[in-house]
Amino acid sequence: MFLSLRGLLQERDKRAKWHGIPTLLQKLYESSHPNSDLSHAHSFLKVLSSQLSMEAMSFVTEDRKTAQESTFPNTHTFDLFGGVDLLVEILMRPTLTMQKKKPKMNDDLVKDCLSVLYNCCICTEEVTKSLAGRDDFVLFLFTLMTNKKTFLQTATLIEDILGVKKEMIQLEGIPNLSGLVQSFDQQQLANFCRILSVTISEPDVGNDDKHTLLAKNAQQKRNASPSRAEVNQVTLLNIPGFIERLCKLATRKVSEATGANFLQELEDWYTWLDNALVLDALMQMATEEAEQSSTESSDESSLATSPLRHRLPQSMKIVHEIMYKVEVLYVLCVLLMGRQRNQVHKMLAEFRLIPGLNNLFDKLIWRKYTASNHVVHGQNENCDCSPEISFKIQFLRLLQSFSDHHENKYLLLNSQELNELSAISMKANIPEVEALVNTDRSLVCDGKKGLLTRILTVMKREPPDSSFRCASCRAKIVTQEIKMLTISQYVSLVLGATSYADQMFLLKRGLLEHILFCIIDSGCTSRDVLQSYFDLLGELMKFNIDAFKRFNKYVNTPEKFQTFLTQINSSLVDSNMLVRCIVLSLDRFESQTEDVKVVEVLSECCLLSYMARVENRLSFLFRLINIINVQTLTQENVSCLNTSLVILMLARRKAKLPFYLNALREKEYAEKYPGCLLNNFHNLLRFWQRHYLNKDKDSTCLENSSCIPFSYWKETVSVLLGPDRTSPCAIASYIDEPFMDLDRDLLED
């Protein structure tokens, strides 16, 4: 019966072109019973591995086509006849024994089992999903990472499985996680960060800015307790020395390549490197050759003694280090944005992450070799993403997270630059900002330039409007627009609450003129890039009479000023923060008429004169209210609502609020849609109350950015929403009864 079954398999094998896989699996099964000598089983597995690895290799070298049964027949056959389940059983068998001393499997057998499973995952997504559904196997895989010989194969398989797992794994469920992580050398820890990135990031739900605030608020109500990602972040932070080791990884140096052939050498290697896996495999070979006994550490010093290490191109070593740093910086960035942000921030400062990155800036992060016109292609000829571009993007995102409204932002300067800020304050006879006074000078940047100055130099050197695109990067689309946006947002956030010394520090470096060139003279049309320039220009100019004087000097013709206005008016969602800055600055300058310099600039500056005309302020107000409604409010466009409020608060201070509300009413009737604008504004303000009165951070930002007490914001909104239709400051007073639509609740979930 059994012989006839085997004969039947062999006969069917010829017709179905199974290439003997079912028969080999039968032999593998028979030779892998408990307590049997697994050497025979290993020999069968090696034959199977060679057949399956060819299909996996073809997959990763042919533009990663969608895996189909017909495309990878050997992998499909292997899974169909129980090969995947059999290998899982073989791997986990030591955990199922009742013996006190667990039997140890041969390392090479474990490596081959893992490699075959990984090859199956590459070619057939259903295999990956099936393994991801087995929590016992996923947790078991982490225990295999204690063995350096099987670490790389285990890490790559775990990474693939977690990428499709429906429910995020809980790190606290991994046996002895703290001991496991502490046992890793630096290379293993860097690899482990690739796995951690999946476990600490909230599920990707698209562009965060595009999600409506209504939906976000409803989601927060439903998920009041910490998410799995947040719990995992806490678990990592509780591992002794974890953050310190990541900081060392992020800032460790790598020897620099020299010579004219560097770029070509790098491109030659990268054309066949699918991802970090090939690099890791070769680096592991170098490690094993150096160690021999596999007892030494695989850090740079030991790798340097390896003959194979010397044979690897210098550029490959650099790309390898860059790929590691991308993952490490990503983990640090996610932790910086989590609920434990203050704890993480303190540790990153203490472990001198910022000075370390500053020391790497010219030699590794923004090397002069990486000319912007040189593209390192991947497998796809249309892909313009390289590890170095990804590294720049992650570096900038980390700095943005680090400097986002935090007092440690001045760590991005060096001692000389801090002294310059102090001197600016002293000359202007104004007190230094508290954050500057409290900055620990032992933790700031070293060298002739701090990180902020270096980034400003790079920003001015980059083309105003160009792009790199890559569909395979974590960011889905990595563009130079995003890079420029990140730089500009980062510098804007460094300024934080308006500081005259900070502004003058940047103005002295020609930043305002550079931004105006990009807006007016460069032909830049990218909305993302322009928005970042508008935001930064607003921060530079707010309340700063010298900045407005510089603006007027650059925008010295009617044609230039008209181009500037056209750019502003082309998208108020992008430019409204600048409009807010101009309105606020004008209001302050008009109260400083005893200052001769202020009076002079007020009379000469075309921008201030333009905004001083009430019809222009009303025009902005009409459009700001009209381009948003409660259902379409997002983190990106909610600033339009706040800018409209700023205009009305300043009008209220001057007892002009009724005039502005009546102007809105007249605009409605002139456009033949009575009640539409004011009903919409009323609903927006009701949402504003719900959104901001429960968010301390948001309210603090509003107060700091406008220098208007938040109590006045709340009071003005309450006055505008007043139910008394006889009040000249209530919106309801300006909507005729037939068009009244204030009772409908559009704010419920």
Side-chain angles (χ1 to χ4, degrees):
M1 177 78 177
F2 179 74
L3 289 175
S4 62
L5 178 60
R6 176 170 291 183
L8 182 64
L9 267 179
Q10 291 173 343
E11 181 62 30
R12 181 77 178 97
D13 188 292
K14 294 177 183 178
R15 285 182 289 162
K17 295 183 179 180
W18 287 337
H19 303 293
I21 290 176
T23 303
L24 282 169
L25 280 173
Q26 179 71 21
K27 293 178 179 178
L28 177 62
Y29 173 76
E30 293 171 352
S31 58
S32 61
H33 288 305
N35 304 319
S36 62
D37 180 6
L38 294 178
S39 59
H40 293 300
H42 195 187
S43 63
F44 295 131
L45 181 61
K46 286 180 178 179
V47 178
L48 285 164
S49 178
S50 64
Q51 290 180 283
L52 300 178
S53 62
M54 293 300 293
E55 287 189 347
M57 185 61 69
S58 69
F59 179 59
V60 299
T61 56
E62 293 179 14
D63 296 337
R64 289 193 175 274
K65 295 178 292 188
T66 302
Q68 298 175 354
E69 173 186 330
S70 58
T71 313
F72 309 107
N74 289 348
T75 304
H76 174 71
T77 303
F78 181 81
D79 182 39
L80 181 65
F81 284 88
V84 171
D85 292 334
L86 178 58
L87 292 190
V88 170
E89 181 191 339
I90 292 173
L91 284 170
M92 295 190 68
R93 187 170 295 158
T95 67
L96 304 177
T97 179
M98 301 299 293
Q99 302 173 16
K100 289 185 178 181
K101 187 177 181 181
K102 305 291 184 183
K104 189 177 185 304
M105 288 180 62
N106 179 275
D107 290 337
D108 291 331
L109 174 59
V110 173
K111 285 169 67 174
D112 285 339
C113 285
L114 293 169
S115 296
V116 170
L117 288 175
Y118 180 69
N119 288 338
C120 290
C121 289
I122 287 178
C123 297
T124 309
E125 188 177 20
E126 289 307 313
V127 171
T128 318
K129 291 179 178 178
S130 172
L131 294 177
R134 295 194 54 173
D135 290 342
D136 59 336
F137 180 64
V138 175
L139 292 177
F140 164 76
L141 284 176
F142 281 94
T143 66
L144 296 182
M145 298 182 83
T146 57
N147 188 339
K148 286 186 63 176
K149 286 191 173 181
T150 60
F151 175 88
L152 186 58
Q153 288 76 14
T154 307
T156 51
L157 181 58
I158 292 175
E159 183 183 1
D160 217 52
I161 289 174
L162 294 186
V164 301
K165 192 169 175 60
K166 289 184 178 180
E167 283 195 356
M168 185 177 292
I169 189 174
Q170 289 191 285
L171 293 178
E172 59 188 4
I174 299 173
N176 191 24
L177 175 65
S178 179
L180 176 68
V181 173
Q182 289 177 300
S183 72
F184 291 154
D185 59 37
Q186 289 297 76
Q187 182 173 323
Q188 290 174 315
L189 182 59
N191 265 304
F192 192 58
C193 283
R194 293 215 296 265
I195 295 171
L196 293 180
S197 65
V198 183
T199 67
I200 61 174
S201 306
E202 298 295 349
D204 184 12
V205 288
N207 189 335
D208 189 57
D209 282 347
K210 298 298 187 291
H211 281 181
T212 67
L213 295 180
L214 272 180
K216 285 185 178 182
N217 289 349
Q219 181 74 16
Q220 288 173 353
K221 286 181 182 178
R222 289 193 296 268
N223 302 328
S225 58
S227 65
R228 284 198 170 192
E230 290 170 332
V231 172
N232 285 341
Q233 292 172 24
V234 174
T235 300
L236 288 179
L237 292 174
N238 288 335
I239 297 176
F242 177 71
I243 295 296
E244 182 177 10
R245 292 187 66 191
L246 289 192
C247 288
K248 288 180 179 178
L249 262 174
T251 58
R252 75 176 180 182
K253 297 179 180 179
V254 63
S255 56
E256 276 293 296
T258 57
N261 295 326
F262 171 80
L263 287 173
Q264 183 60 48
E265 183 184 350
L266 179 59
E267 182 166 14
D268 289 344
W269 277 100
Y270 195 69
T271 51
W272 65 271
L273 292 176
D274 176 68
N275 54 29
L277 300 181
V278 179
L279 280 167
D280 288 335
L282 287 173
M283 299 304 276
Q284 185 183 47
M285 290 168 58
T287 303
E288 290 172 351
E289 191 171 315
E291 291 175 352
Q292 311 230 335
S293 63
S294 51
T295 57
E296 300 287 329
S297 169
S298 62
D299 60 18
E300 268 195 301
S301 60
S302 64
L303 285 176
T305 66
S306 165
L308 178 57
R309 172 80 174 183
H310 286 305
R311 294 199 297 271
L312 296 178
Q314 182 70 14
S315 56
M316 185 173 174
K317 303 172 196 172
I318 293 174
V319 173
H320 189 247
E321 185 70 15
I322 285 174
M323 286 179 167
Y324 277 161
K325 288 187 183 329
V326 169
E327 301 299 336
V328 172
L329 292 183
Y330 179 80
V331 170
L332 290 176
C333 189
V334 173
L335 293 174
L336 257 181
M337 294 186 293
R339 294 194 181 189
Q340 281 69 42
R341 182 191 176 202
N342 288 336
Q343 178 189 355
V344 176
H345 215 295
K346 183 178 179 181
M347 289 192 284
L348 296 188
E350 178 186 343
F351 300 134
R352 293 179 55 81
L353 174 69
I354 300 304
L357 292 175
N358 187 48
N359 293 334
L360 289 180
F361 191 87
D362 291 330
K363 293 183 178 180
L364 188 65
I365 301 173
W366 236 284
R367 292 176 293 151
K368 57 186 176 182
Y369 297 109
T370 55
S372 58
N373 61 349
H374 182 87
V375 174
V376 183
H377 291 287
Q379 296 300 329
N380 185 344
E381 284 300 317
N382 297 319
C383 170
D384 292 345
C385 183
S386 74
E388 295 189 321
I389 292 174
S390 299
F391 187 30
K392 289 180 175 71
I393 294 291
Q394 204 53 61
F395 164 76
L396 292 168
R397 286 176 179 166
L398 175 70
L399 292 188
Q400 181 178 351
S401 301
F402 185 87
S403 59
D404 186 4
H405 301 289
H406 199 283
E407 60 181 15
N408 274 344
K409 62 190 178 184
Y410 289 109
L411 296 182
L412 280 78
L413 306 181
N414 64 17
S415 294
Q416 292 81 5
E417 291 163 345
L418 292 177
N419 292 338
E420 182 180 343
L421 286 177
S422 299
I424 292 172
S425 298
M426 185 178 297
K427 183 178 179 180
N429 197 27
I430 57 176
E432 294 181 64
V433 294
E434 187 177 353
L436 176 60
V437 175
N438 294 336
T439 297
D440 186 342
R441 299 276 178 134
S442 68
L443 302 178
V444 301
C445 293
D446 308 311
K448 295 180 180 179
K449 295 180 180 178
L451 259 183
L452 176 59
T453 302
R454 294 184 191 278
I455 291 174
L456 289 178
T457 303
V458 168
M459 178 182 171
K460 292 168 67 175
R461 193 170 61 221
E462 292 289 346
D465 189 2
S466 60
S467 66
F468 299 113
R469 296 176 185 81
C470 177
S472 61
C473 179
R474 174 186 281 116
K476 301 298 190 301
I477 297 177
V478 172
T479 65
Q480 190 160 342
E481 282 96 334
I482 292 178
K483 179 173 69 176
M484 296 301 296
L485 174 62
T486 309
I487 295 173
S488 301
Q489 284 182 332
Y490 152 63
V491 178
S492 179
L493 289 169
V494 162
L495 293 173
T498 304
S499 163
Y500 175 80
D502 290 355
Q503 290 173 324
M504 295 308 298
F505 178 87
L506 297 172
L507 288 172
K508 287 170 64 176
R509 284 154 175 79
L511 184 57
L512 183 139
E513 289 79 8
H514 171 72
I515 295 171
L516 290 175
F517 167 80
C518 293
I519 293 173
I520 299 171
D521 299 316
S522 72
C524 178
T525 57
S526 165
R527 299 314 314 172
D528 285 338
V529 177
L530 283 171
Q531 180 182 343
S532 68
Y533 286 137
F534 287 137
D535 290 348
L536 181 51
L537 187 62
E539 292 291 346
L540 275 176
M541 296 181 68
K542 191 190 303 174
F543 307 133
N544 192 308
I545 199 68
D546 296 294
F548 279 89
K549 189 172 183 177
R550 281 175 175 255
F551 175 94
N552 213 47
K553 184 177 180 180
Y554 186 92
V555 186
N556 53 10
T557 66
E559 292 76 20
K560 278 191 172 184
F561 186 59
Q562 189 55 52
T563 301
F564 182 75
L565 289 180
T566 300
Q567 290 281 47
I568 286 181
N569 288 318
S570 62
S571 177
L572 272 182
V573 171
D574 301 320
S575 62
N576 81 88
M577 294 294 287
L578 175 59
V579 171
R580 190 191 307 181
C581 145
I582 302 167
V583 171
L584 285 166
S585 300
L586 175 65
D587 181 75
R588 176 173 293 190
F589 296 154
E590 287 178 337
S591 67
Q592 298 174 340
T593 51
E594 73 284 353
D595 189 319
V596 176
K597 183 178 180 181
V598 171
V599 172
E600 178 187 344
V601 176
L602 271 174
S603 63
E604 295 178 354
C605 181
C606 55
L607 185 58
L608 291 172
S609 298
Y610 179 85
M611 195 60 75
R613 292 195 284 274
V614 67
E615 64 270 21
N616 292 330
R617 292 200 298 277
L618 282 171
S619 175
F620 281 123
L621 181 62
F622 297 151
R623 285 181 291 150
L624 286 167
I625 296 174
N626 207 32
I627 59 179
I628 52 175
N629 59 58
V630 172
Q631 286 76 21
T632 61
L633 273 182
T634 66
Q635 199 64 47
E636 183 181 21
N637 63 26
V638 71
S639 57
C640 294
L641 174 57
N642 290 321
T643 299
S644 65
L645 260 178
V646 166
I647 294 173
L648 292 177
M649 282 190 294
L650 298 181
R652 180 173 172 239
R653 278 182 176 177
K654 297 179 179 179
K656 294 287 183 67
L657 187 55
F659 171 81
Y660 278 76
L661 293 176
N662 189 60
L664 289 175
R665 180 179 185 276
E666 291 180 355
K667 179 70 172 178
E668 288 182 331
Y669 275 88
E671 298 291 338
K672 295 184 169 43
Y673 53 90
C676 182
L677 198 65
L678 289 170
N679 277 309
N680 180 50
F681 192 41
H682 194 279
N683 283 324
L684 285 167
L685 293 180
R686 289 164 63 203
F687 172 83
W688 188 95
Q689 284 185 321
R690 295 193 184 188
H691 183 72
Y692 282 103
L693 299 189
N694 296 315
K695 290 180 174 288
D696 293 336
K697 181 182 177 184
D698 282 348
S699 62
T700 302
C701 291
L702 289 179
E703 184 170 307
N704 288 340
S705 65
S706 65
C707 292
I708 298 175
F710 189 63
S711 59
Y712 196 75
W713 285 76
K714 292 190 294 183
E715 185 181 309
T716 301
V717 172
S718 296
V719 167
L720 288 166
L721 292 178
D724 184 2
R725 298 201 61 199
T726 63
S727 168
C729 294
I731 293 174
S733 302
Y734 297 87
I735 307 176
D736 292 335
E737 190 69 39
F739 309 112
M740 187 78 69
D741 192 20
L742 304 184
D743 296 328
R744 189 158 55 97
D745 195 348
L746 302 176
L747 309 178
E748 296 301 326
D749 300 344

